[in-house]
Amino acid sequence: MTYNKDVLGTQFTLELSSYALELISRVNDVSEAISLLLAKVGKQFSLSHITVLEKQRNLPCFMATYEWHTAENEPMRNHIITYTEELKEVFFERRDQSEELFTLQELKGMKEAKNIIPIIEQNKADNVILCALKQKEKFIGFLNIETRNGIDKFSEEEISAFLQTKRILENFFLVCRANQEAQRRIEQVTLFDPVTGLIKYDSFLEQAELIYKNDLNNQYILFYADINNFKYFNETYGYAAGDEVLRLFEQHFMSQSSRYMIGSRIFSDYFIGMTSLRGPIIERKLIQETQMLSYSFQKKIQSIYPESSIHIAAGVILIDNKNLDLQTYIDNANQARKIAKFNRINCVLFDKDMEAERKKYYRITSIAEEALKNNEFYFELQPKIDLRTKRIVGAEALARWARPDGTVVYPNEFIPIFEQNGFITKLDFYVYGKVCEYLLNRIRNGMEIVPISVNVSRVHLKQDNFAKKVIRLVEQYRIPPKYLEFELTENIFLENSEQAKKTLMELKKYDFKVSMDDFGSGFSSLNLLMNLEFDILKLDKDFLTDNIITKKEEVVIKSIIRMAKLMKMTVLCEGVETKEQVDFLERMQCDMVQGYYFGKPMKTELFEICMSS
Ligand code: C2E
Ligand code: MG
Ligand code: MG
C-alpha cells in the first residue's frame, strides 16, 4: 500500500515524536518505552491489537515480543511466524516503493505470506496493517496493527502515525541492540558450545519448547544422533582431531544441509536437531535423506582419516500431534537412535511399537532393583544328557522372574532390557550366587552333583574384572571350580574380542569350564574356534529347525562336530525336541543334548527327582 507523505506532519505524528523522546529520557529500560509507545498508539486509534513480531536470533521465525491489546482480545504472544526467504523478499527486498504497508486483503493474495494469514485471522480483525521493521539493512520484524470496529480502512492520518510509530520503534530497537550486543558477547561464552558453535542443550530445550508449544500450524522433525566409535577415534587420533570431527558434523548435518533450524550438541558426540517440515512428509524419503547424509559424512571422515571407522546412528521422529510433551519426543527419538546403533544402521524412524517397547523398558527397569531385593528372581535347571548313557551329566541354570501376582516372566522379556540398562551384571551375579548356594548345599549334604552352567552377558566384558569377581564368589562359597561352567555367546567375542579372550583365559586358568553358547545363531566365525580354547561347543537350536534334516544340513553338522572334536571340544546340541533328532545326533556322534525331549527347564526340587530316577 502506498501512502501520501504529505500528511506525515499531522498533529499526532508530531506528538508521537516528542512522546518518544520523553520516554527515552524517563524510563530506564527501552523495553518499557516500547510497551508504553504501543499502548499510546493503541488507545489513540482504538486498535484491538498492536504487536511487534521480532525475528528471533538463531531461529528462523518471528515471535510476538511486545504488544498492546484491549481486554476483550486475546494476546498474540503465543504466535510464531516461520521465516522464509520469500517473506523477506515481499517485506524487504522490493525497494521500488519507499515504504510498504500491507493490508490483510493484500496479504491474502500473496502466496509468500501464507504463514502469516492464519495467525492474523485468528484475531478476527476487520482491518489489519502489517509493516516491516528494518534496521541497518536488516529485516528485524513486523509491526502488526489491527482493529475490530467494523471499519475496514485506515485514514491517511492513521497510516502516517503508524509509519511514525514504526520508525520510532526501529530507533528504539537500535538502542536495544546496542545493549544486547554487549549482553550477547557475554552469552556467547555461556550459551554456546565452544567446539561446534551450536547452542547449549538447555538453550535448545528452551527454544524447542517455545516453538513446540506455540507453533500450532507446522509439523516438526526431531533428530537425535551419535557418532559411534568416537571414543576410539579420540584415543587414536587425539582430541583435536575429535573436535574437528564434531565441527564437521555440525557443518554437515546442521548448518550446511540447512535442514535443522535449531541444533545442539547434547554432550560428547550426541547431537539433537529440530526443524519444521516442508511439505507433506514421505517417511521413506526422510530416512533415505538421513542415511545419505550419514553415509557421506562417514565417507568424508574416512577420506581424512583412512583408518577410522566412525558410524552415525540417528533416530528421527515426527512431531505430528502435540499430545505428548517435548521430552517424550526427545526420549523416543533417542530410543530410535539406540535401535539404529544396535543394528548398525544409519537411521531409524520412531514408530508406535517402539513407544510400547520404551514403556515396557521403563516399567521393567523401574521395578528391577526392588524385585531383586524381594528375591523374585530365581533359576531353573535344564538337564544336559550324555547321548551314550542317556544320563544327566549337567544342567544349565536359566533365570526366571516370579512376579508378586503369580506370573513368571521369561528371560527373553527382561534380559535384553537389563543388558541395555546394565542391571544384567547384578542379576547374573545374583544367579551365580544362588547356583553356588545350591551346589554348596548339595555338597554339604553329601548328595550327587553335576556341573551347572551359567550364562554370561556380553555386558560383563565391558569391564575387565569379570573373572576376578567370579573367582572371589566361588572362593567365598568354597565351590570346586569344575562344578561351574560359563556360557559365552559368540557376539561377546565379536564386540569386545581382546577383553573377552583375556577373560576366557583367566576362567580356564582357574579350572572353570567354558562353553561357546548358541554357536551358529549369529555370524559364527570358525576363526573364533581356532583361536580360543573352549571346552564345550553348544550348537544352537536353529540347527534343528526341521524334523527332516537335509543332506546338506547333515554334512554341515557332521563337519562341525568332527572339527570340534579334533579341537578337543565336547559338543552339545541345544533345543532337541524329538526322537528323530536324538537318533540323528547320535549318528553324528554328538556328545550331549539339551532340550524339551529330555526335560524342560525346571525348579531345582524337580531336577533332583529327575537326577535320582
Ligand atoms: P540359552 O542360554 O541359549 O538357553 C537356552 C534357551 O533355550 C532357554 O530359554 C531354554 O528354555 C530354551 N530351550 C531349551 N530346550 C529347548 C527346546 O527343546 N526347544 C526350544 N524351543 N527351546 C528350548 P530361556 O530360558 O527362555 O532363556 C533364553 C535365553 O536367555 C538363554 O538362551 C540365555 O541366553 C538367556 N538367559 C537365561 N538366563 C540367563 C541368565 O541368568 N543370565 C544371562 N545373562 N542370560 C540368561
Ligand atoms: Mg545358555
Ligand atoms: Mg544357547
Side-chain angles (χ1 to χ4, degrees):
M1 175 188 262
T2 52
Y3 58 93
N4 183 352
K5 282 185 184 154
D6 298 341
V7 291
L8 263 178
T10 55
Q11 189 55 37
F12 187 70
T13 46
L14 289 175
E15 199 183 312
L16 259 187
S17 306
S18 57
Y19 180 65
L21 281 174
E22 184 202 326
L23 277 179
I24 281 294
S25 58
R26 184 156 57 90
V27 301
N28 310 331
D29 180 358
V30 191
S31 309
E32 199 185 333
I34 296 173
S35 302
L36 288 168
L37 181 74
L38 296 184
K40 184 167 177 74
V41 177
K43 283 180 200 155
Q44 174 76 24
F45 295 102
S46 308
L47 304 177
S48 57
H49 284 96
I50 173 162
T51 318
V52 170
L53 290 142
E54 259 190 291
K55 165 110 176 32
Q56 299 299 293
R57 188 151 50 87
N58 305 319
L59 291 178
C61 64
F62 300 91
M63 289 186 198
T65 46
Y66 298 94
E67 70 177 327
W68 177 89
H69 60 89
T70 48
E72 56 277 12
N73 286 297
E74 291 284 308
M76 280 188 80
R77 200 177 309 130
N78 297 337
H79 297 324
I80 286 181
I81 297 176
T82 312
Y83 172 88
T84 61
E85 286 300 311
E86 294 88 356
L87 198 64
K88 180 175 162 193
E89 236 158 67
V90 173
F91 278 91
F92 191 61
E93 287 183 342
R94 260 205 257 146
R95 287 156 199 265
D96 50 331
Q97 294 167 31
S98 55
E99 294 283 359
E100 275 166 31
L101 298 169
F102 287 94
T103 61
L104 184 57
Q105 282 69 29
E106 284 171 310
L107 289 169
K108 274 184 177 168
M110 293 179 198
K111 67 174 184 346
E112 298 91 338
K114 66 175 188 314
N115 291 344
I116 300 179
I117 310 299
I119 288 165
I120 296 176
E121 277 183 343
Q122 272 175 27
N123 291 340
K124 300 198 175 59
D126 299 317
N127 199 6
V128 175
I129 268 191
L130 204 66
C131 49
L133 293 170
K134 304 167 190 179
Q135 200 178 73
K136 288 189 179 168
E137 300 297 304
K138 264 187 152 170
F139 180 23
I140 59 163
F142 298 107
L143 176 63
N144 174 57
I145 292 164
E146 298 180 8
T147 55
R148 286 180 75 175
N149 55 8
I151 305 167
D152 64 358
K153 205 166 164 18
F154 287 116
S155 71
E156 293 219 337
E157 186 184 346
E158 283 171 318
I159 287 170
S160 70
F162 298 155
L163 281 172
Q164 182 68 353
T165 311
K166 164 194 139 81
R167 275 186 220 102
I168 295 169
L169 283 172
E170 284 170 346
N171 283 313
F172 278 0
F173 281 121
L174 211 59
V175 180
C176 268
R177 283 292 125 84
N179 294 344
Q180 279 169 1
E181 192 49 36
Q183 185 64 27
R184 211 173 70 81
R185 294 226 172 89
I186 300 167
E187 283 178 359
Q188 197 80 32
V189 184
T190 52
L191 292 182
F192 294 89
D193 170 22
V195 179
T196 61
L198 290 167
I199 48 169
K200 290 208 173 144
Y201 187 48
D202 44 3
S203 306
F204 171 88
L205 286 179
E206 242 170 62
Q207 296 186 7
E209 185 81 28
L210 211 63
I211 301 175
Y212 176 78
K213 283 216 177 114
N214 297 321
D215 180 5
L216 305 173
N217 300 311
N218 288 307
Q219 292 192 337
Y220 286 86
I221 305 168
L222 200 77
F223 156 95
Y224 200 125
D226 81 322
I227 309 175
N228 300 328
N229 296 346
F230 187 66
K231 187 167 170 271
Y232 182 70
F233 184 96
N234 262 336
E235 281 162 8
T236 315
Y237 296 98
Y239 285 86
D243 283 357
E244 185 56 24
V245 170
L246 297 174
R247 268 192 291 278
L248 288 170
F249 184 96
E250 186 277 325
Q251 281 167 21
H252 197 86
F253 282 85
M254 305 282 175
S255 51
Q256 255 178 29
S257 71
S258 71
R259 262 212 85 125
Y260 288 94
M261 66 186 223
I262 49 170
S264 172
R265 181 163 70 113
I266 303 172
F267 63 94
S268 178
D269 56 321
Y270 290 76
F271 287 85
I272 192 162
M274 181 164 140
T275 193
S276 68
L277 274 178
R278 297 183 204 122
I281 178 68
I282 302 165
E283 296 186 356
R284 193 172 35 84
K285 211 169 141 237
L286 184 66
I287 296 176
Q288 265 173 8
E289 266 177 36
T290 313
Q291 262 165 351
M292 303 250 287
L293 218 53
S294 305
Y295 186 72
S296 57
F297 181 72
Q298 286 164 196
K299 283 272 153 234
K300 189 192 252 175
I301 301 302
Q302 219 157 33
S303 70
I304 312 173
Y305 304 98
E307 302 292 305
S308 68
S309 62
I310 63 151
H311 174 261
I312 302 297
V316 175
I317 187 166
L318 300 175
I319 303 183
D320 43 5
N321 68 55
K322 304 218 169 150
N323 297 334
L324 303 171
D325 61 357
L326 182 68
Q327 192 55 51
T328 308
Y329 280 108
I330 296 176
D331 292 347
N332 288 348
N334 190 21
Q335 199 203 343
R337 175 195 65 81
K338 287 182 191 163
I339 294 169
K341 182 173 182 161
F342 188 76
N343 295 302
R344 260 196 104 70
I345 47 181
N346 286 131
C347 177
V348 166
L349 187 70
F350 183 83
D351 68 30
K352 285 274 169 287
D353 291 346
M354 293 178 200
E355 187 163 1
E357 279 288 309
R358 201 168 57 81
K359 283 194 181 137
K360 186 172 140 194
Y361 176 92
Y362 284 124
R363 199 181 59 243
I364 289 190
T365 51
S366 64
I367 55 175
E369 288 281 355
E370 198 60 27
L372 192 70
K373 259 193 233 141
N374 296 341
N375 290 319
E376 289 176 25
F377 293 99
Y378 65 99
F379 68 88
E380 287 190 338
L381 290 174
Q382 185 176 32
K384 294 176 184 170
I385 310 294
D386 183 321
L387 265 185
R388 267 171 300 139
T389 62
K390 306 286 186 306
R391 292 199 57 81
I392 297 175
V393 288
E396 175 172 5
L398 294 154
R400 302 289 181 256
W401 183 356
R403 298 290 297 129
D405 64 5
T407 53
V408 174
V409 190
Y410 287 85
N412 292 345
E413 289 282 308
F414 57 82
I415 301 263
I417 292 177
F418 292 159
E419 287 194 327
Q420 275 181 56
N421 80 334
F423 183 72
I424 190 68
T425 52
K426 258 194 191 171
L427 179 62
D428 272 355
F429 272 91
Y430 177 83
V431 171
Y432 305 163
K434 288 283 169 196
V435 168
C436 286
E437 223 174 272
Y438 170 75
L439 286 168
L440 181 67
N441 189 34
R442 291 194 58 95
I443 293 171
R444 280 205 178 136
N445 292 312
M447 293 191 273
E448 187 194 349
I449 63 173
V450 289
I452 295 180
S453 62
V454 292
N455 290 284
V456 180
S457 164
R458 62 197 166 103
V459 178
H460 294 288
L461 279 297
K462 288 192 175 145
Q463 291 149 6
D464 64 359
N465 59 353
F466 178 75
K468 282 191 197 75
K469 273 169 75 184
V470 289
I471 291 168
R472 212 179 308 138
L473 187 79
V474 293
E475 283 178 350
Q476 183 190 332
Y477 283 95
R478 295 168 196 270
I479 305 288
K482 63 175 177 179
Y483 289 123
L484 219 51
E485 178 184 318
F486 290 92
E487 298 196 4
L488 279 69
T489 52
E490 53 201 356
N491 62 13
I492 292 183
F493 295 90
L494 299 179
E495 271 175 32
N496 215 333
S497 87
E498 285 313 309
Q499 189 55 50
K501 275 183 209 165
K502 197 173 142 243
T503 305
L504 179 114
M505 310 279 268
E506 283 172 340
L507 291 172
K508 281 189 63 83
K509 205 168 143 206
Y510 197 75
D511 233 10
F512 289 121
K513 293 263 181 296
V514 183
S515 53
M516 175 175 268
D517 199 2
D518 300 345
F519 183 78
S521 64
F523 303 96
S524 308
S525 158
L526 293 178
N527 260 348
L528 274 182
L529 291 186
M530 273 192 284
N531 295 332
L532 300 164
E533 288 179 28
F534 288 100
D535 301 292
I536 299 126
L537 184 69
K538 293 189 80 175
L539 296 183
D540 192 71
K541 47 183 169 287
D542 279 0
F543 272 113
L544 303 175
T545 41
D546 241 306
N547 241 340
I548 308 147
I549 294 155
T550 65
K551 194 74 200 152
K552 246 187 185 167
E553 285 164 347
E554 187 176 319
V555 172
V556 172
I557 295 178
K558 200 181 206 163
S559 314
I560 293 175
I561 293 177
R562 194 178 308 146
M563 187 187 63
K565 288 196 167 177
L566 282 172
M567 292 192 235
K568 307 230 166 3
M569 276 187 274
T570 303
V571 183
L572 179 149
C573 193
E574 293 185 282
V576 176
E577 293 181 352
T578 64
K579 170 94 173 62
E580 288 75 16
Q581 291 171 337
V582 175
D583 293 343
F584 167 74
L585 290 166
E586 247 183 306
R587 266 191 287 120
M588 296 297 109
Q589 296 187 329
C590 179
D591 303 302
M592 289 198 255
V593 289
Q594 182 184 339
Y596 295 170
Y597 182 74
F598 286 105
K600 289 193 170 181
M602 54 189 94
K603 295 242 168 86
T604 49
E605 298 81 2
L606 188 58
F607 179 74
E608 277 156 33
I609 296 171
C610 290
M611 278 259 287
S612 52
S613 61

